[in-house]
Amino acid sequence: MLFNKFNKNFILATFSNCFFFVNFSCFFLLPLFLDNLGYSKSDIGIIMATFGLSSILLTPYTSTLIDKYGKKILCIFALCLMFTSSFLFIYITNFYLILLLRIIQGVAFSIFFNSSSAIASNNLDDSDKQVGLSLFSSFTILSYFLGPFFSEKIIINVGFDEFFIYASLFSFVSLVLIIFVHEESNDKDSSIDTLSFFKIISENKIFNYLFANFLLASGFGVVMNFLSLFLKNNSLSVGFFFIAYSIVVSLSRIFLSSRFSSDKLFNKILIMLSLFSLSIFMLPYIGTKYDVVIFSIFFSLTYSLVYPFLSSITLSGKSKSLSGRLFGALNCSFSIGVNLMTLFYGFIAEIWGFNTMFQFSSCVIFLGIIFLIVRKRSTI
């Protein structure tokens, strides 16, 4: 059985995280609700961006609270915030109140994802982290099916009120599961402060892992945010990409993570990143739906294991009381890579077009890899 080697806490955290991500991913369809209310595209953009901005800015503080007061209690707090804020969309249509709800959801995401990831990691031996964290992250892919896929059908066939009820119920299920997690006293440290977050990320090896994660996120963001428009301009559907992406990422994280030795794992990650960069460089040459599927498989295979492997080597050998801040740093670097670089690449696409944008982003990743190799050798 898939979960036989893992304990109850890890399993509860994995499924609780999955259900939370269903609630989170449902709100990819929030623009449909906002458009129905008559908000402009710029208003919708501001509302959607508020979530990511609040999550990034608050991560140093919230990840410190996680390690200081405990992962379980902060998970419960975050799930209560997510459930309430999701449900309140039924009654709120005012622009500023909607902004407030999105800020609250950003806070909930920042707290819960880092907390649940830390619980999962703390219940794995160092030798199991590579496989365990790959399995943990693979279940977030399932949420994108349960979330946007069914939400769209609910909105079309029933309405927005039922959509918000559907979304919020998954946070309630997640809450029920997390209540049964048992947390050890050594999982927290009441003496820490927010400055400790910045001290941790300045450590040499941690910086390398965070920068590699940032490079991964920059490529992930440019593909996820611009691929649909690029394919539309070439009279192709993005649906084939997402079907292949979901299948390949899930299966590779479940079945391939154990095939890699933990010896010199960062070197293997850099090779994966190089191939990931190459897949993006080749994107402008897509011309048929078969090319889309081939690109999706190559992109997904090279992407799928990098984040869980980076999580594994970042957390291995570290105190359990540090796990919240370490996951906070990882997820913050990923969010910055997605949001900041997508904004930058958007300007490049506006001036020089999608082909140049994709290949430039690929070169940025490759140059970043060279920087990491040189930096790594200079510190030996």
Side-chain angles (χ1 to χ4, degrees):
M1 290 291 289
L2 194 59
F3 284 98
N4 274 356
K5 66 186 298 184
F6 304 114
N7 68 21
K8 182 190 76 171
N9 284 343
F10 174 84
I11 296 169
L12 288 170
T14 298
F15 281 99
S16 180
N17 185 70
C18 175
F19 289 126
F20 174 84
F21 262 80
V22 177
N23 190 164
F24 160 73
S25 65
C26 283
F27 277 80
F28 290 155
L29 301 186
L30 184 63
L32 298 177
F33 172 70
L34 300 173
D35 182 66
N36 188 62
L37 292 177
Y39 286 112
S40 67
K41 288 181 173 62
S42 60
D43 289 337
I44 294 171
I46 292 169
I47 290 170
M48 297 305 289
T50 301
F51 174 93
L53 185 62
S54 64
S55 179
I56 292 169
L57 292 177
L58 289 169
T59 290
Y61 182 66
T62 57
S63 60
T64 303
L65 292 179
I66 290 165
D67 285 337
K68 187 169 186 174
Y69 296 109
K71 285 74 175 173
K72 177 179 175 179
I73 190 66
L74 267 296
C75 271
I76 291 172
F77 175 68
L79 288 166
C80 289
L81 285 181
M82 194 67 171
F83 172 82
T84 304
S85 58
S86 299
F87 189 80
L88 284 176
F89 273 95
I90 295 173
Y91 305 104
I92 291 176
T93 57
N94 177 270
F95 178 79
Y96 295 103
L97 291 179
I98 290 175
L99 277 182
L100 177 61
L101 291 182
R102 288 298 282 169
I103 291 171
I104 292 172
Q105 289 185 325
V107 173
F109 182 88
S110 175
I111 295 173
F112 181 83
F113 187 42
N114 293 327
S115 298
S116 61
S117 300
I119 290 171
S121 176
N122 287 354
N123 284 277
L124 294 167
D125 295 331
D126 282 350
S127 60
D128 291 330
K129 278 184 167 61
Q130 183 176 314
V131 175
L133 292 175
S134 296
L135 181 64
F136 175 82
S137 60
S138 72
F139 273 75
T140 62
I141 304 299
L142 174 63
S143 68
Y144 293 101
F145 176 69
L146 292 173
F149 181 81
F150 285 109
S151 292
E152 184 180 33
K153 296 186 180 303
I154 290 170
I155 290 169
I156 292 171
N157 296 306
V158 187
F160 285 108
D161 287 357
E162 290 76 10
F163 159 66
F164 292 124
I165 293 170
Y166 173 79
S168 60
L169 282 176
F170 283 97
S171 279
F172 179 77
V173 175
S174 180
L175 175 63
V176 172
L177 292 176
I178 213 70
I179 286 172
F180 292 98
V181 166
H182 174 70
E183 189 170 24
E184 302 288 344
S185 58
N186 65 343
D187 286 359
K188 51 190 175 183
D189 180 358
S190 59
S191 64
I192 61 174
D193 57 31
T194 306
L195 288 176
S196 64
F197 175 87
F198 299 100
K199 291 175 184 175
I200 289 170
I201 65 175
S202 63
E203 196 255 309
N204 191 54
K205 283 187 177 180
I206 299 297
F207 173 83
N208 288 347
Y209 303 154
L210 296 180
F211 187 70
N213 199 41
F214 168 83
L215 294 175
L216 177 74
S218 70
F220 177 81
V222 77
V223 170
M224 290 298 177
N225 284 296
F226 294 110
L227 182 64
S228 59
L229 283 175
F230 170 75
L231 293 179
K232 182 181 177 183
N233 290 346
N234 290 277
S235 302
L236 293 168
S237 171
V238 76
F240 294 109
F241 169 82
F242 281 108
I243 292 170
Y245 169 81
S246 301
I247 294 171
V248 172
V249 172
S250 298
L251 293 180
S252 63
R253 285 179 175 176
I254 293 171
F255 296 110
L256 294 183
S257 58
S258 60
R259 304 289 182 181
F260 288 83
S261 165
S262 58
D263 183 47
K264 297 182 178 179
L265 189 57
F266 190 60
N267 292 342
K268 296 168 187 174
I269 288 171
L270 293 181
I271 293 172
M272 292 178 198
L273 264 180
S274 300
L275 294 172
F276 175 73
S277 170
L278 178 61
S279 73
I280 298 173
F281 190 86
M282 300 303 293
L283 210 164
Y285 301 107
I286 287 177
T288 69
K289 64 181 179 182
Y290 302 106
D291 293 338
V292 175
V293 174
I294 292 169
F295 164 75
S296 181
I297 292 171
F298 187 33
F299 172 85
S300 303
L301 276 173
T302 55
Y303 163 80
S304 61
L305 295 177
V306 177
Y307 177 80
F309 281 9
L310 282 171
S311 302
S312 170
I313 58 177
T314 302
L315 274 293
S316 292
K318 300 294 191 300
S319 167
K320 291 182 178 181
S321 63
L322 290 173
S323 57
R325 282 163 289 173
L326 289 171
F327 269 111
L330 278 167
N331 294 328
C332 191
S333 67
F334 194 90
S335 295
I336 292 171
V338 169
N339 292 287
L340 182 64
M341 297 307 286
T342 296
L343 179 65
F344 172 62
Y345 290 141
F347 288 116
I348 293 178
E350 186 72 27
I351 299 170
W352 290 293
F354 285 127
N355 289 358
T356 301
M357 178 198 69
F358 285 126
Q359 295 191 328
F360 181 80
S361 68
S362 170
C363 292
V364 168
I365 297 170
F366 193 72
L367 289 173
I369 294 166
I370 293 173
F371 166 76
L372 284 172
I373 292 171
V374 172
R375 191 174 190 274
K376 188 168 176 282
R377 288 180 177 174
S378 66
T379 55
I380 293 175

